[in-house]
Amino acid sequence: SYEAKIIAEDDRSSLALLKIDATDSAWLPIASEKPEVGMDVRALGHEVEWTPEQTAEISRGIISGFTTSDDTLRLKVDCDVKPGNGGG
């Protein structure tokens, strides 16, 4: 395990940007190409009341469209995204 510093957080979308000082850690790319309708997507996260014994949940779906809200482009996806599971 690593200690992390919170760089930024957004309670409304249930997201946080963390900084971990480590050189031997694995990484997961966010995206390898521009999002398009029909593209496969995943939602990754855990319940809001998380404990160390719990594992992350992964939901799979597709991008079904795009919308703009509060001057922010948002993806419409058909995978299960709920509070604590990737930002619902």
Side-chain angles (χ1 to χ4, degrees):
S1 66
Y2 301 96
E3 288 192 32
K5 178 180 179 184
I6 297 174
I7 303 298
E9 58 187 315
D10 182 7
D11 291 335
R12 192 176 87 202
S13 60
S14 183
L15 293 173
L17 176 63
L18 306 176
K19 179 179 181 187
I20 300 172
D21 291 321
T23 57
D24 61 342
S25 61
W27 57 275
L28 177 68
I30 300 298
S32 59
E33 54 194 90
K34 183 179 176 182
E36 296 180 9
V37 171
M39 196 175 259
D40 241 8
V41 292
R42 309 288 187 279
L44 171 68
H46 56 77
E47 297 178 24
V48 175
E49 298 297 325
W50 180 82
T51 64
E53 295 80 30
Q54 294 173 316
T55 58
E57 296 179 11
I58 301 174
S59 298
R60 179 179 175 189
I62 62 166
I63 297 174
S64 58
F66 299 93
T67 186
T68 303
S69 176
D70 300 324
D71 293 324
T72 302
L73 180 65
R74 298 177 188 265
L75 302 177
K76 291 183 179 182
V77 296
D78 72 345
C79 61
D80 186 22
V81 179
K82 57 188 180 241
N85 180 20

